[in-house]
């Protein structure tokens, strides 16, 4: 992302739950920008704008927050959503500098088809990488084409963008290729329970002895 989108924001002077509720009724989302060396910036942005940014760019979205005519380069660090409406209730931003590297979690997706007999188990959905703040990938893709039972893909096998560094332990299992397993213990327990139930039913039909 060479040119981050610009989102205009109003500086917040009122704080607390009451002030936040008023902002939300007005279609705005309260937030805080954190950056080392400067005071936290409390702001409010248009809900539709920030929702579109997060939806299109993901939770690692980079933007320029325009406050009082000043543009502050930052990235989305955390989003709080309403549990009922799923609308964004609050957003935390992290200030960054051009050329600065940041540590982020990036989703891992698979492509291709494994061997028909193999069951594909994705053990890790994200990996941590250190990358230029303006070059954060939306996702990292690994090929499972033709993979057979017994093979594995670890974090070290993932191809990273140029200049990015893997932070996750390289030996972390990301995708495992195994066989369809049947829980023999459960099957045996079910069979024993069925047999025991049949015996109990048979006993209940016997005439009591005096």
């Amino acid at each position: 992302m060479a040119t981050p989108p610009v989102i205009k924001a109003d500086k917040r002077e009122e704080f607390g739950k009451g002030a936040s509720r008023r902002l939300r009724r007005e279609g705005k989302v309260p937030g805080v920008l954190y950056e080392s060396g400067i005071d936290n910036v409390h702001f409010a942005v248009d809900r539709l704008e920030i929702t579109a940014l997060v939806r299109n760019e993901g939770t690692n979205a980079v933007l320029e927050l325009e406050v009082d005519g000043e543009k502050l380069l930052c990235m989305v660090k955390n989003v709080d959503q309403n549990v009922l409406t799923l609308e964004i209730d609050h957003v935390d931003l992290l200030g960054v500098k051009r050329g600065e590297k940041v540590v982020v979690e990036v989703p891992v997706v698979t492509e291709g088809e494994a061997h028909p007999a193999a069951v594909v188990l994705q053990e890790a959905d994200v990996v941590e990488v250190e990358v230029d703040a303006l070059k954060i990938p939306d996702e990292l893709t690994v090929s499972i084409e033709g993979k057979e039972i017994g093979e594995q893909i670890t974090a070290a096998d993932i191809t990273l963008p140029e200049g990015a560094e893997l932070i996750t332990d390289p030996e972390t299992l990301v995708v495992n290729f195994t066989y369809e397993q049947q829980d023999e213990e459960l099957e045996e327990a079910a069979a024993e329970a069925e047999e025991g139930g049949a015996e109990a039913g048979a006993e209940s039909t016997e005439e009591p002895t005096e």
Side-chain angles (χ1 to χ4, degrees):
M1 182 190 297
T3 307
V6 177
I7 292 185
K8 292 187 177 182
D10 300 319
K11 186 171 287 188
R12 286 194 292 143
E13 304 295 343
E14 294 182 312
F15 307 99
K17 293 183 178 179
S20 294
R21 280 195 293 266
R22 285 194 295 273
L23 285 171
R24 296 185 188 109
R25 285 198 296 268
E26 296 170 3
K28 296 182 178 181
V29 174
V32 182
L33 168 63
Y34 302 91
E35 184 172 354
S36 178
I38 68 171
D39 292 336
N40 295 340
V41 178
H42 297 263
F43 62 87
V45 293
D46 181 83
R47 175 182 285 118
L48 295 179
E49 282 193 90
I50 195 67
T51 299
L53 176 74
V54 172
R55 180 183 296 121
N56 296 331
E57 304 294 338
T59 54
N60 293 325
V62 176
L63 67 146
E64 285 189 313
L65 191 73
E66 185 174 337
V67 184
D68 294 339
E70 182 182 6
K71 293 180 181 178
L72 305 170
L73 185 64
C74 51
M75 64 179 291
V76 176
K77 192 62 178 175
N78 185 65
V79 171
D80 290 332
Q81 289 181 294
N82 185 290
V83 294
L84 298 178
T85 66
L86 298 182
E87 291 184 337
I88 297 178
D89 277 349
H90 189 277
V91 60
D92 288 332
L93 304 179
L94 177 66
V96 295
K97 295 178 174 59
R98 293 184 183 277
E100 179 182 1
K101 287 190 173 184
V102 293
V103 176
V104 293
E105 288 187 340
V106 180
V108 178
V109 298
T110 61
E111 66 176 6
E113 296 289 338
H115 188 280
V119 175
V120 181
L121 300 177
Q122 185 159 346
E123 306 287 354
D125 295 321
V126 299
V127 294
E128 271 195 333
V129 299
E130 185 176 46
V131 63
D132 188 311
L134 297 183
K135 298 179 181 178
I136 300 173
D138 295 330
E139 59 189 23
L140 297 170
T141 303
V142 294
S143 174
I144 63 171
E145 187 66 35
K147 294 292 186 180
E148 299 185 357
I149 294 173
E151 293 191 77
Q152 295 181 332
I153 295 175
T154 66
D157 298 320
I158 300 175
T159 300
L160 302 180
E162 184 179 355
E165 180 182 349
L166 182 67
I167 301 301
T168 295
D169 185 338
E171 296 183 3
T172 298
L173 181 60
V174 177
V175 187
N176 194 21
F177 302 90
T178 183
Y179 54 89
E180 187 173 358
Q181 300 182 29
Q182 295 183 345
D183 196 323
E184 295 181 0
E185 291 184 1
L186 284 179
E187 289 183 355
E188 290 178 3
E192 290 176 1
E194 185 176 346
E195 184 178 339
E199 291 177 356
E203 291 176 0
S204 66
T205 60
E206 295 179 359
E207 291 294 333
T209 57
E210 295 184 358

